Amino acid sequence: MSYKVGIMGATGAVGREIIEVLHNRDFPVEELRLFASVRSAGKTMETPFGDIIIENADLADYSELDIAFFAISGGWSKENAEKATSSGCYVIDNSSAFRYDDNVPLVVPEINAAAIGDSKLIANPNCTT
């Protein structure tokens, strides 16, 4: 199985690192889409997956994605997480928006992957994790 993956905040340091990790770990990416602010939309970004045109994160259609990594501000994450998950997309949020929310599993896969359960929204302790 392979996945349609979106990275919100792809032009930032965390977004770029996610791209590298996906590549280095041979994650089964069927399609990689990169999203950032309107300032970056339309520009091309060189990645290990090839050159990809950056899209406006505010206009993302989550029904076209299986997984979205949110490497973007907590406020933006809070505004968009429900839109993404209600479209059937899994969201892995790297901001601090949901870390202390009892209704969102806080996950480090090597430690408590089972905590995900059936949640489509997953928080992690911080972007370096």
Side-chain angles (χ1 to χ4, degrees):
M1 175 162 221
S2 58
Y3 302 93
K4 295 177 183 174
V5 177
I7 301 176
M8 310 300 157
T11 59
V14 175
R16 288 176 186 269
E17 188 62 25
I18 292 170
I19 294 166
E20 291 299 319
V21 170
L22 291 172
H23 178 260
N24 292 340
R25 304 238 1 197
D26 292 323
F27 190 81
V29 175
E30 175 182 328
E31 178 184 11
L32 180 63
R33 294 178 60 189
L34 306 180
F35 298 85
S37 70
V38 68
R39 291 183 314 271
S40 296
K43 295 179 181 174
T44 300
M45 187 168 162
E46 195 175 309
T47 78
F49 298 92
D51 290 348
I52 300 174
I53 296 173
I54 299 167
E55 301 176 58
N56 183 343
D58 294 329
L59 304 177
D61 181 351
Y62 296 98
S63 68
E64 298 174 351
L65 300 172
D66 300 310
I67 302 168
F69 289 90
F70 282 17
I72 204 160
S73 75
W76 191 93
S77 290
K78 284 194 175 221
E79 290 175 18
N80 289 277
E82 173 65 27
K83 183 168 116 177
T85 58
S86 67
S87 295
C89 181
Y90 285 88
V91 172
I92 300 171
D93 183 50
N94 289 283
S95 77
S96 61
F98 299 103
R99 286 187 194 144
Y100 299 106
D101 186 328
D102 291 336
N103 297 313
V104 178
L106 181 64
V107 175
V108 176
E110 296 81 4
I111 297 172
N112 66 336
I116 294 170
D118 61 358
S119 179
K120 288 204 176 293
L121 176 58
I122 303 155
N124 71 30
N126 68 37
C127 62
T128 59
T129 307

